[in-house]
Amino acid sequence: MDKHAAARLLDTIASYQELKGENPFKVRAFSNAARAVDGFAGDFDQALASGDLAAAKGIGRATLEVLREYASGGRSTLLEALRREVPDGLVEMRRISGLGVTKIRILHEQLHISTIAELELAARNGRLAALPKFGEKTAEKILRGIEFLRRTSAFRLSHRARAAAVALRDAVAGLPGVGRVEIAGSVRRCMEISGDVDLAVCLSGAASALEPPLAALPSVREVTVSGGSAFTLRLDDETTADLYCAPPERFGHCLAWATGSAAHLERLAACARTRGFDLDAEGLRRGGAGVACADEPALYAALGLAWIPPELREGGEEIARAAAGTLPRFVERGDIAGVLHCHSVYSDGTNSIAELAAACRGAGYRYLGLSDHSVAAAYAGGLNEDAIARQHAEIDALNAGSTDFRVLKGIEADILADGALDYHAEVLDRFDFVIGSVHSRMEQDRATMTSRLLHAMDDPHLTILGHPTGRLLLGREPYPFDLDAVIARAAERRVAIEINGDPQRLDLDWRRCAQARDAGVTISIGADAHSLAGLGNVESGVAVARKGWLEARDVLNTRDAEGFLDYARKR
């Protein structure tokens, strides 16, 4: 049972319970369990089967029973019962930004709205605006939210798309005649969201022989043949997967063609023509004769190009730089010296400081930059001054017993509505570094939000601007503000801007990384970890940095602890 599917199951149950009006403690138990499962670091299936999952923080008896029932029979009697009482459309409405449970209940009880289609009609004909505490602005916001949901409903977050791709790859790899299977497409290019799964398959025989075993895979609902050497699969979870097949001598071309964006492939084909080749979906040819490309480096070398990392294949300057031999060495996971932006049990994390530190040390990092929430984030257990004192004493004790690893005292301070950082200056002085983030009042207009962020960067305590645009992928648009002005102020004040590695954020967007770097801004890669599994978000952040053409020297936490602290002190 895929742990992400298990987490979605528990989260869905929590949504139905909340809309039904169940006891808040019961709702919170399922929500917490969903987060715990999604962040579980070990072998989920093994832990569920052995009973070890029961010892994980956040997993209770009721949630464990639901998981066991679903794993054994593919169904949840609890969820089925809730669905008989709560219309599915109400749960779907929760995906609309700004539409909480209270408002959904009002809509259902007073306007008898049960679907998004009915909600849209009510927003357009004035019935919604006429409700108390709604009004024209709320109706307009809901219409924008519905449109955003429609645009994004066919996509999934990067980590979920990768999990689906890995599962299908492993299943296809065991089929007769299959020699090699590689993930391709948007997942391999590390796009933040993906609409489908793409695989390149190396076959020793005819592609037609692969159709029956593909159709027999447990997760496959339908197989469609395309062009004789490609298949489109529809999976049980409604995922669409495209498989591109080639013999060993053409597998490099197959993988490259299945990976690149349309713009990259167009420029690659143009490059091929300048060198006397023809390049298209069928292969690389010269004078009508096929050119063997057993791997990708052979294809790129035939065109006079250095191999281009998959993350870069978006149709920018990658081909020109590869032809000139000037592709830089991009930042890698091994360059990261310390993990920043981590939450412990002191706020809304699920692990102790000692557990986080041990996991970071075990993964080869040299420091942990702890940054629990500040007091204004009461919903996340933000730290008051007494909690800060206790936490810092605990950190001092941990550091006293270690010579090769260090825990740094940080905080994720809310940027308040007027741009001030949470806490007074004398409290902020107690931290080694400060991440400033917006968590509230995101409905401010463009000018107000811009002024708010610029004011925050004027505070010399601020080291890093956290998840700078506030977006939640597939959930919430960025708040309106002038990013160019913020980048310019960050460069002027030497405030680092974060690439937040949480797969729901991946913010700063990779498309703006080079702009920030060229303006003189240092980039920080933050895990935004709320569990041990969340420490793996560093890899997602590194993928964004690479996609944004960043080198190790551009990234703040490639520096050792002293180098990082020196940067913070100079603020």
Side-chain angles (χ1 to χ4, degrees):
M1 184 182 184
D2 174 60
K3 72 173 184 179
H4 298 306
R8 286 197 298 274
L9 169 66
L10 297 176
D11 192 56
T12 300
I13 288 173
S15 294
Y16 275 95
Q17 289 174 329
E18 191 172 13
L19 286 164
K20 183 187 172 185
E22 289 273 18
N23 185 307
F25 293 103
K26 183 184 291 187
V27 176
R28 194 174 302 120
F30 275 87
S31 294
N32 290 342
R35 285 195 295 272
V37 167
D38 208 30
F40 188 74
D43 185 318
F44 179 74
D45 282 334
Q46 183 179 344
L48 181 60
S50 67
D52 291 345
L53 189 63
K57 293 178 181 177
I59 305 293
R61 186 177 65 181
T63 54
L64 193 62
E65 288 176 359
V66 167
L67 293 174
R68 284 173 173 161
E69 179 191 19
Y70 196 84
S72 63
R75 63 191 293 262
S76 166
T77 52
L78 174 58
L79 180 57
E80 289 169 1
L82 287 166
R83 278 179 166 157
R84 288 192 292 269
E85 299 180 65
V86 179
D88 289 344
L90 300 188
V91 175
E92 209 178 352
M93 287 180 204
R94 292 203 61 191
R95 298 172 59 197
I96 299 172
S97 179
L99 199 55
V101 170
T102 301
K103 286 185 176 178
I104 292 173
R105 283 183 184 158
I106 292 172
L107 293 169
H108 185 56
E109 292 167 3
Q110 298 191 24
L111 298 183
H112 309 293
I113 289 172
S114 298
T115 67
I116 290 180
E118 292 170 348
L119 175 64
E120 182 177 18
L121 180 61
R124 293 190 185 282
N125 65 21
R127 292 170 62 222
L128 192 150
L131 285 175
K133 299 183 179 180
F134 276 76
E136 291 289 347
K137 287 187 177 179
T138 298
E140 291 170 5
K141 184 177 181 180
I142 286 174
L143 285 173
R144 290 196 300 270
I146 292 171
E147 176 57 29
F148 178 77
L149 185 62
R150 285 188 177 136
R151 290 201 314 269
T152 60
S153 60
F155 293 89
R156 64 175 69 191
L157 297 175
S158 58
H159 66 309
R160 303 200 189 284
R162 181 165 294 279
V166 168
L168 184 61
R169 178 199 65 191
D170 293 348
V172 172
L175 299 182
V178 174
R180 181 182 171 193
V181 186
E182 296 289 346
I183 296 170
S186 58
V187 175
R188 188 172 181 230
R189 297 200 315 276
C190 299
M191 289 293 287
E192 56 270 67
I193 56 174
S194 295
D196 56 13
V197 167
D198 297 282
L199 298 179
V201 182
C202 184
L203 283 177
S204 58
S208 58
L210 191 60
E211 183 179 359
L214 281 175
L217 289 175
S219 61
V220 174
R221 184 179 299 177
E222 182 182 0
V223 178
T224 304
V225 182
S226 175
S229 62
F231 301 91
T232 297
L233 313 182
R234 189 160 65 91
L235 308 184
D236 284 340
D237 64 355
E238 300 302 328
T239 296
T240 298
D242 292 317
L243 276 61
Y244 303 92
C245 305
E249 66 273 13
R250 288 200 299 108
F251 183 70
H253 162 269
C254 177
L255 179 57
W257 200 264
T259 296
S261 70
H264 175 81
L265 296 177
E266 181 180 344
R267 296 187 182 192
L268 198 63
C271 176
R273 288 192 294 272
T274 65
R275 294 180 176 271
F277 292 94
D278 290 309
L279 176 65
D280 55 28
E282 301 304 314
L284 181 67
R285 299 176 301 280
R286 170 168 268 172
V291 178
C293 299
D295 56 30
E296 283 188 332
L299 171 67
Y300 284 95
L303 302 180
L305 304 175
W307 179 79
I308 299 173
E311 303 96 317
L312 305 185
R313 302 180 196 176
E314 296 295 344
E317 60 181 45
E318 70 271 14
I319 290 177
R321 295 285 296 272
T326 58
L327 285 174
R329 178 191 174 279
F330 299 102
V331 63
E332 298 176 357
R333 154 65 178 83
D335 295 320
I336 306 300
V339 186
L340 301 176
H341 200 154
C342 296
H343 299 268
S344 75
V345 291
Y346 274 88
S347 63
D348 58 347
T350 59
N351 292 96
S352 68
I353 301 173
E355 288 170 334
L356 290 167
C360 287
R361 181 192 286 111
Y365 298 110
R366 287 174 278 166
Y367 58 93
L368 161 67
L370 197 69
S371 53
D372 278 303
H373 285 285
S374 65
V375 69
Y379 62 90
L383 277 62
N384 59 30
E385 292 189 39
D386 289 340
I388 292 170
R390 291 195 307 273
Q391 184 183 79
H392 286 188
E394 184 176 335
I395 291 172
D396 288 339
L398 282 169
N399 286 337
S402 176
T403 58
D404 61 347
F405 189 85
R406 188 169 177 181
V407 179
L408 307 182
K409 300 168 183 173
I411 194 74
E412 185 180 15
D414 269 34
I415 297 175
L416 305 179
D418 62 356
L421 295 181
D422 201 9
Y423 300 127
H424 296 299
E426 57 268 23
V427 177
L428 293 173
D429 283 341
R430 296 158 63 181
F431 296 101
D432 293 323
F433 70 100
V434 174
I435 299 173
S437 304
V438 171
H439 292 120
S440 62
R441 299 290 301 276
M442 286 175 277
E443 75 284 357
Q444 289 180 328
D445 62 42
R446 177 183 171 88
T448 304
M449 183 63 79
T450 302
S451 175
R452 176 181 181 180
L453 293 170
L454 296 179
H455 180 53
M457 289 189 290
D458 287 339
D459 190 317
H461 294 96
L462 183 65
T463 314
I464 299 165
L465 179 62
H467 43 76
T469 75
R471 74 179 185 183
L472 290 178
L473 293 164
L474 306 184
R476 183 176 70 210
E477 295 272 22
Y479 36 69
F481 73 105
D482 186 345
L483 182 56
D484 293 339
V486 167
I487 287 174
R489 181 66 60 87
E492 180 186 347
R493 297 288 191 265
R494 295 188 73 251
V495 173
I497 292 180
E498 180 184 58
I499 292 175
N500 187 292
D502 183 334
Q504 288 189 294
R505 293 188 183 275
L506 301 183
D507 178 17
L508 184 68
D509 191 296
W510 61 269
R511 297 163 186 83
R512 305 300 292 266
C513 287
Q515 175 194 352
R517 176 204 62 207
D518 293 345
V521 175
T522 300
I523 300 295
S524 163
I525 294 178
D528 204 351
H530 290 72
S531 65
L532 297 184
L535 298 174
N537 292 346
V538 171
E539 295 185 10
S540 301
V542 168
V544 172
R546 289 173 59 83
K547 200 166 182 63
W549 288 70
L550 299 186
E551 301 174 56
R553 64 185 179 183
D554 303 318
V555 177
L556 179 58
N557 45 325
T558 60
R559 309 180 189 198
D560 62 17
E562 279 305 318
F564 172 76
L565 290 173
D566 182 61
Y567 184 94
R569 291 187 196 107
K570 286 180 178 176
R571 276 286 297 131

